[in-house]
Amino acid sequence: MNDLNNINIERAILSTILFEPSTFEDIVGSLKPEDFYLPFHKVLFESMIELEREQKPIDEEFLKKELEKKKRFDEEAFFELLSTAPLSNISAYLEEIKDKSIKRELLKLTTEIKDVAVEQDLPSEDVLDIVQKKLYEISLDATTKEFRDSPEMTKSTIEHILAMKEKGNTGVIGVDTGFRELNFLTSGFTPGQLIIVAARPAMGKTAFTLNLAQKALDDDQGVAIFSLEMPAEELMIRMLSSKTSIPLQNLKVGNMTDEEWTNLTRATDEMAKKKFFVDDDGLININQLRSKLRKLKSQHPEIELAIIDYLQLMSGTGGKDRHLEVSEISRGLKLLARELNMPIIALSQLNRGLESRNDKRPMLSDLRESGAIEQDADIILFVYRDDVYRMREEKEKEKKAKAEGKEYKSDFFEKPEEDAEIIVGKNRNGPTGIANLVFQKAYTRFVNKGDVPVEIVYESAEADAKNSKIELPPI
């Protein structure tokens, strides 16, 4: 066990604090009480922290009183501490104590694994989740953020100002949604938030979240998607259609002009450089998702957004009714968002009961299977397109008239672009309301209302486009 502790160094560090109180801030910024192996050293360091918090001197007299009050005073150990010479350069010794503390945590974890796997006989998925979480916590504890110097901060600040200038005066403090009215309501998605995007089938909730993902990627933020419904290739085709303004159906069959092929090639080259990850395993439970996302986040800290499509296709840990399972999943995603300090977007289905109402705009009570979703979510967004229902109604009228031998001619026609609403049904830290967008069907793309339909023209194609009426919308 000697390789996992060094009592002499622990004693010397504590002695340094007593003889040189100015060193305390540096030491407490690197170590916590649990990093000390000897129990007396742990409680002594805790007492030092408490004295500092109470703005009392960290000296022999006050420490002795504090320890006696806790009935933890050890005269022999305290005398040894006072007899130890303080350190002149503590940095290397702090690293030594931290290193041994981490090794002890890892050794302790092996015992915990044996306990949960053998003694408690937990399912292997639960064991893996416990291990992954503990390893992630240990890895975070091993990272110490140091001071940033003036040149680095100045450079970073200028880069931030330039990034904000490119965004314009949007008031966005989190992940930019790319939609002006939605940004106004939410200020973007901030770390630790659970965002639910809910809708009835065919409303475009997957398309909407892919647009959110594309905006994050365009801003050089990493994105992870768990796609339980469609393969990664289909997601990528949808994103490329939205990005290049090549109709989705043409893209699927490769029916494109030379210019579109050029645009597609350049768009794929650009996407290949992004930190974009898709897990299209259709069978995944909350424990597996947590494990995978923790691992991915530790390998790629630049990932700033995760998307799950969709919540009802996930499973819990088994042995429970579906309402409890969804509650477990919802709560698990919220805790994971806080743990990884990033926003997580989860798609959700709505109850079909809303379709029997005259006004079919979704409400919080329409969330399917569990009220826990409403409770856990920080933001709940509903995707609504009225034309979807109008089209269905017209088809029903036509079908009914035909069955009755009558002729029915509707003046409603399917449009290439439809008005869409993103309804903010819940916003824990801001207002609710409606963001008005336009849905462009050919590209499965939502755009800000009033924007000119976007067509991406890359450098090599600019000359051919000079005479066309192509214009990028303001962002």
Side-chain angles (χ1 to χ4, degrees):
M1 195 70 178
N2 289 337
D3 290 339
L4 297 182
N5 68 79
N6 192 318
I7 303 300
N8 291 331
I9 292 179
E10 289 186 8
R11 190 181 295 121
I13 286 174
L14 294 169
S15 173
T16 302
I17 296 173
L18 276 174
F19 288 101
E20 298 288 343
S22 61
T23 63
F24 179 71
E25 287 191 5
D26 289 336
I27 294 172
V28 80
S30 301
L31 300 179
K32 60 183 190 298
E34 293 76 15
D35 291 326
F36 291 89
Y37 174 74
L38 197 69
F40 177 71
H41 290 169
K42 288 181 184 178
V43 72
L44 185 66
F45 194 62
E46 285 175 355
S47 299
M48 289 177 170
I49 293 172
E50 289 166 9
L51 287 173
E52 174 71 12
R53 191 181 300 123
E54 295 169 6
Q55 296 184 335
K56 295 178 180 178
I58 301 176
D59 60 15
E60 179 182 349
E61 187 69 26
F62 276 91
L63 270 175
K64 186 176 179 180
K65 286 182 180 178
E66 192 70 26
L67 291 168
E68 286 176 342
K69 187 169 63 177
K70 296 176 180 178
K71 298 181 179 179
R72 298 293 301 274
F73 181 67
D74 184 328
E75 187 172 358
E76 183 179 347
F78 198 67
F79 178 77
E80 286 183 351
L81 181 71
L82 294 174
S83 304
T84 303
L87 301 168
S88 57
N89 184 0
I90 61 173
S91 298
Y93 297 101
L94 292 176
E95 290 178 10
E96 177 79 3
I97 293 297
K98 196 69 181 178
D99 179 70
K100 292 186 180 300
S101 172
I102 290 169
K103 287 178 180 176
R104 292 198 301 272
E105 285 295 313
L106 291 171
L107 183 63
K108 182 181 175 184
L109 179 58
T110 62
T111 305
E112 290 178 11
I113 293 172
K114 181 180 178 182
D115 178 57
V116 295
V118 180
E119 304 298 332
Q120 297 185 36
D121 194 24
L122 294 181
S124 59
E125 290 176 351
D126 289 353
V127 175
L128 285 170
D129 181 59
I130 291 168
V131 173
Q132 286 281 350
K133 183 178 182 181
K134 187 64 178 177
L135 279 174
Y136 185 76
E137 290 171 354
I138 293 172
S139 68
L140 285 181
D141 189 40
T143 304
T144 303
K145 193 169 182 178
E146 300 296 339
F147 280 107
R148 300 165 67 185
D149 60 23
S150 184
E152 189 272 334
M153 287 189 293
T154 305
K155 182 175 180 292
S156 175
T157 301
I158 292 298
E159 289 174 352
H160 173 76
I161 291 171
L162 290 173
M164 292 301 102
K165 181 178 182 296
E166 288 179 6
K167 287 184 178 181
N169 187 21
T170 60
V172 175
I173 58 174
V175 174
D176 191 345
T177 70
F179 303 112
R180 290 188 296 267
E181 293 186 20
L182 188 57
N183 280 341
F184 177 78
L185 291 168
T186 65
S187 299
F189 302 143
T190 55
Q193 283 187 328
L194 174 62
I195 300 101
I196 300 295
V197 175
R200 289 294 296 153
M203 283 291 165
K205 59 182 180 294
T206 298
F208 174 68
T209 49
L210 289 180
N211 292 167
L212 297 175
Q214 186 65 63
K215 174 58 179 171
L217 292 171
D218 289 344
D219 289 343
D220 290 325
Q221 296 168 322
V223 176
I225 296 181
F226 292 85
S227 178
L228 284 75
E229 194 171 30
M230 62 180 71
E233 293 79 6
E234 188 171 340
L235 290 181
M236 183 61 80
I237 287 175
R238 285 187 174 211
M239 294 179 78
L240 289 170
S241 173
S242 175
K243 187 173 179 63
T244 62
S245 290
I246 300 171
L248 180 62
Q249 294 307 315
N250 292 1
L251 196 56
K252 282 182 176 180
V253 297
N255 179 22
M256 291 173 282
T257 65
D258 289 344
E259 183 179 328
E260 287 174 333
W261 274 110
T262 300
N263 286 347
L264 177 62
T265 300
R266 291 181 178 272
T268 53
D269 288 345
E270 184 181 320
M271 287 291 285
K273 297 173 185 175
K274 302 295 184 182
K275 294 295 182 180
F276 183 39
F277 304 87
V278 175
D279 185 309
D280 58 3
D281 183 358
L283 299 171
I284 189 170
N285 63 36
I286 183 62
N287 284 349
Q288 292 167 334
L289 185 144
R290 280 197 298 241
S291 174
K292 288 183 176 183
L293 193 54
R294 282 181 189 133
K295 182 178 179 181
L296 188 65
K297 178 71 173 177
S298 65
Q299 294 172 341
H300 300 278
E302 64 274 18
I303 292 175
E304 297 185 47
L305 180 66
I307 296 171
I308 295 97
D309 185 10
Y310 59 92
L311 193 147
Q312 277 80 12
L313 289 178
M314 284 184 64
S315 59
T317 53
K320 302 171 184 176
D321 67 49
R322 187 55 186 163
H323 287 272
L324 290 176
E325 268 198 324
V326 173
S327 298
E328 177 193 3
I329 294 165
S330 172
R331 188 61 182 156
L333 291 177
K334 172 57 185 173
L335 292 175
L336 187 61
R338 292 182 61 184
E339 176 188 331
L340 300 183
N341 196 35
M342 63 190 291
I344 292 179
I345 300 175
L347 280 67
S348 177
Q349 291 279 24
L350 294 175
N351 294 315
R352 68 173 69 240
L354 70 84
E355 297 185 355
S356 62
R357 300 197 299 257
N358 290 330
D359 185 352
K360 296 176 174 56
R361 284 175 176 79
M363 300 182 294
L364 292 175
S365 58
D366 296 320
L367 282 168
R368 187 173 171 183
E369 289 186 312
S370 176
I373 298 175
E374 179 184 347
Q375 177 182 329
D376 294 326
D378 296 284
I379 296 175
I380 297 177
L381 305 177
F382 298 113
V383 183
Y384 178 75
R385 287 159 47 212
D386 191 61
D387 279 9
V388 173
Y389 289 114
R390 290 187 64 191
M391 175 62 72
R392 290 179 188 173
E393 289 169 3
E394 293 302 318
K395 287 183 177 178
E396 285 296 320
K397 289 177 182 177
E398 185 179 352
K399 182 179 178 181
K400 184 179 179 181
K402 189 174 181 180
E404 295 174 353
K406 300 176 183 177
E407 186 177 340
Y408 178 77
K409 188 174 181 180
S410 173
D411 58 357
F412 179 82
F413 63 94
E414 189 171 2
K415 301 182 286 292
E417 295 186 359
E418 295 177 353
D419 288 341
E421 297 175 6
I422 304 300
I423 303 168
V424 182
K426 177 185 177 181
N427 188 0
R428 199 186 299 276
N429 298 311
T432 57
I434 297 175
N436 294 287
L437 305 179
V438 171
F439 181 63
Q440 299 174 336
K441 290 184 178 179
Y443 318 120
T444 60
R445 178 175 64 203
F446 289 84
V447 296
N448 290 302
K449 197 164 188 177
D451 284 352
V452 177
V454 62
E455 182 172 341
I456 303 296
V457 180
Y458 289 90
E459 251 180 65
S460 65
E462 281 181 358
D464 297 331
K466 277 183 179 177
N467 297 322
S468 66
K469 295 181 180 178
I470 296 170
E471 190 177 339
L472 295 177
I475 298 298

